[in-house]
Amino acid sequence: METNRTVLQMKYGRIVKAFAEKANISLEEALDKVYESKVFMLMEEGIADMHCMSDIYLTDELLIEYGYKKGS
């Protein structure tokens, strides 16, 4: 993956913050959950261009993965 690492780190930070707010959990808990998630693994590996998806989409995927929101 040739995406700039700094840009990805900033994206991860935004997603962690949004996930914490929407799941009503602490930033620390959100950080742990994000870095252990399937969504993060797909983003980190560049699989299906997940790292190119919007922050909102990725946050929703995390909410679904951890059962805070029902999938469609």
Side-chain angles (χ1 to χ4, degrees), residues 17-27 29-30 63 68:
K17 183 178 179 191
F19 178 56
E21 290 171 357
K22 291 191 177 217
N24 198 27
I25 58 176
S26 69
L27 284 172
E29 185 177 356
L63 292 167
Y68 292 103

Side-chain angles (χ1 to χ4, degrees), residues 5-50:
R5 297 303 301 171
T6 303
V7 172
L8 274 178
Q9 291 299 323
M10 292 170 59
K11 184 175 194 72
Y12 298 152
R14 291 190 308 270
I15 292 167
V16 168
K17 183 178 179 191
F19 178 56
E21 290 171 357
K22 291 191 177 217
N24 198 27
I25 58 176
S26 69
L27 284 172
E28 293 81 13
E29 185 177 356
L31 183 65
D32 289 342
K33 287 181 180 283
V34 168
Y35 283 121
E36 293 173 0
S37 71
K38 182 177 178 182
V39 171
F40 178 76
M41 186 274 304
L42 293 171
M43 289 171 51
E44 189 69 9
E45 297 294 321
I47 296 172
D49 288 333
M50 284 292 279

Side-chain angles (χ1 to χ4, degrees), residues 40 57 69:
F40 178 76
Y57 174 85
K69 180 178 181 178

